[in-house]
Amino acid sequence: EAISFSEVDYEGVRLPHDDPVVVTLMIELFTTKRILIDSGSSADILYKHAFDQLRIPVDQLKPVKTPIVGFAGEMVNPLGSIDLSVVAGTTPRQTQVQMT
C-alpha cells in the first residue's frame, strides 16, 4: 500500500516546506527509531552502531568495492551490504520487505 498524507496531516505545518520524514521501523525484529527518509538518496544506509545493536555477525556482510559519498561530501568505504527484513506499519496495515 502507498503511504500518503491528507490535509489533516498538514495541520500546523507552514507551507511550502521540505522537512525530512523520520519514522520508526522494525528491522530484523528490532524496533529501530529515528530513520530518516530522504527521497533524494539512492542508498539505504545503516550506521555501524545500529548494525552492532542488531547483533548480526560482520561475516554476514557481502563485500562492496564501490565507495559512496557521505552526507558531508566525503568518500566513505562501506563495510559491506546485507539483506534485512524490514516491517513498516502496524496490523492490519503492515508490510514486510527485504531491503539491502
Side-chain angles (χ1 to χ4, degrees):
E1 280 187 57
I3 297 173
S4 60
F5 300 94
S6 69
E7 293 298 319
V8 174
D9 296 308
Y10 285 111
E11 193 171 304
V13 175
R14 285 188 245 162
L15 298 175
H17 74 90
D18 61 353
D19 299 338
V21 176
V22 179
V23 298
T24 297
L25 296 174
M26 182 79 67
I27 300 176
E28 293 295 319
L29 302 179
F30 287 90
T31 300
T32 309
K33 298 180 180 182
R34 295 182 292 169
I35 297 173
L36 171 65
I37 306 294
D38 178 2
S39 61
S41 176
S42 62
D44 299 317
I45 298 170
L46 184 65
Y47 286 98
K48 176 104 170 52
H49 179 71
F51 180 81
D52 291 341
Q53 289 181 327
L54 291 172
R55 298 186 193 107
I56 299 170
V58 176
D59 64 359
Q60 289 189 20
L61 290 172
K62 296 176 225 159
V64 174
K65 296 178 182 175
T66 308
I68 58 175
V69 178
F71 294 114
E74 76 283 7
M75 296 297 282
V76 177
N77 290 310
L79 296 175
S81 71
I82 189 167
D83 295 327
L84 298 173
S85 171
V86 177
V87 177
T90 55
T91 305
R93 304 189 111 198
Q94 186 177 67
T95 188
Q96 180 175 356
V97 295
Q98 287 292 118
M99 297 185 70
T100 300

